[in-house]
Amino acid sequence: AQSVAQPEDQVNVAEGNPLTVKCTYSVSGNPYLFWYVQYPNRGLQFLLKYITGDNLVKGSYGFEAEFNKSQTSFHLKKPSALVSDSALYFCAVRDVDSNYQLIWGAGTKLIIKP
Amino acid sequence: DARVTQTPRHKVTEMGQEVTMRCQPILGHNTVFWYRQTMMQGLELLAYFRNRAPLDDSGMPKDRFSAEMPDATLATLKIQPSEPRDSAVYFCASGFEAWGSYEQYFGPGTRLTVT
């Protein structure tokens, strides 16, 4: 069965430090992977995606993600965290069976402390 | 700056009443998704449209929920009759489905409270 796991419910980082939000996946075939961010009382916003090509994908707001096929991971990273990065982050993978659904992780709450 | 719009943003209603939520997808997008978000269940896909045709509504309680796209600029989600367990945030998302372009763009959501 296809799945996405975000092993951490919450990640705490000091402002200015690098941050990583973890995501692992399990799909048959080539994965199409996504990261979204949700600020309080807002809809989800698309951050970045991996479809093919370079394993390091750059996205909005200075975020990047590294696709690692051998570890089946797609961790979200940022070199220097801002307090405004505090939000809920979702990893998702495209469902190869339906060819349109996204399988969503449970979300990771990122808290950046000043 | 193209955005998905949803109305109303908040709705409080009594059990048994009909609720209609509306969504205007981004112009030019050919897919529309309806999601429900709760703390317990996370994000659940309720319905999916491509080129206005409903292709998947397996996530919806069929006896009370219905989703339609009367035209390319309007998608609706109706609940009749509503129940307290329907209380959640309902999101509409749209996208343009082509190879390499599968991201979805979400509206701000409708927060529904059924008392």
Side-chain angles (χ1 to χ4, degrees), chain B residues 9-111:
Chain B
R9 292 293 311 277
H10 303 272
K11 177 71 175 179
V12 179
T13 191
E14 293 183 347
M15 182 174 65
Q17 296 299 305
E18 177 178 304
V19 175
T20 298
M21 291 169 269
R22 293 177 174 81
C23 166
Q24 182 173 7
I26 293 173
L27 187 66
H29 281 184
N30 64 352
T31 59
V32 170
F33 302 80
W34 281 104
Y35 288 95
R36 175 169 63 185
Q37 186 179 38
T38 61
M39 290 292 292
M40 295 299 295
Q41 300 295 329
L43 268 172
E44 301 174 274
L45 178 66
L46 298 176
Y48 164 66
F49 292 78
R50 185 193 296 153
N51 297 324
R52 294 178 53 204
L55 296 186
D56 186 354
D57 62 1
S58 59
M60 287 200 311
K62 297 291 191 302
D63 56 339
R64 300 185 299 109
F65 284 58
S66 62
E68 295 180 344
M69 272 201 81
D71 62 60
T73 65
L74 178 64
T76 62
L77 179 66
K78 291 185 180 180
I79 308 175
Q80 169 63 20
S82 57
E83 297 181 1
R85 60 179 166 152
D86 300 329
S87 297
V89 181
Y90 291 80
F91 289 107
C92 173
S94 71
F96 184 78
E97 193 158 304
W99 190 91
S101 177
Y102 306 115
E103 55 268 35
Q104 299 172 20
Y105 294 87
F106 284 70
T110 294
R111 183 175 296 275

Side-chain angles (χ1 to χ4, degrees), chain A residues 30-101:
Chain A
N30 295 321
Y32 297 164
L33 296 154
F34 303 83
W35 275 103
Y36 285 77
V37 60
Q38 186 178 27
Y39 298 102
N41 300 313
R42 302 282 295 276
L44 280 71
Q45 294 180 35
F46 168 73
L47 275 179
L48 52 78
K49 67 181 177 184
Y50 173 81
I51 304 295
T52 187
D54 194 346
N55 289 343
L56 186 64
V57 179
K58 294 188 182 298
S60 306
Y61 311 123
F63 284 94
E64 58 189 26
E66 186 170 11
F67 171 65
N68 188 317
K69 189 172 183 178
S70 63
Q71 297 186 7
T72 62
S73 68
F74 189 56
H75 300 333
L76 182 70
K77 300 180 180 183
K78 188 172 183 180
S80 178
L82 301 173
V83 173
S84 57
D85 293 329
S86 299
L88 190 57
Y89 289 81
F90 291 92
C91 180
V93 65
R94 186 173 170 87
D95 184 343
V96 296
D97 291 332
S98 76
N99 209 32
Y100 58 84
Q101 281 201 48

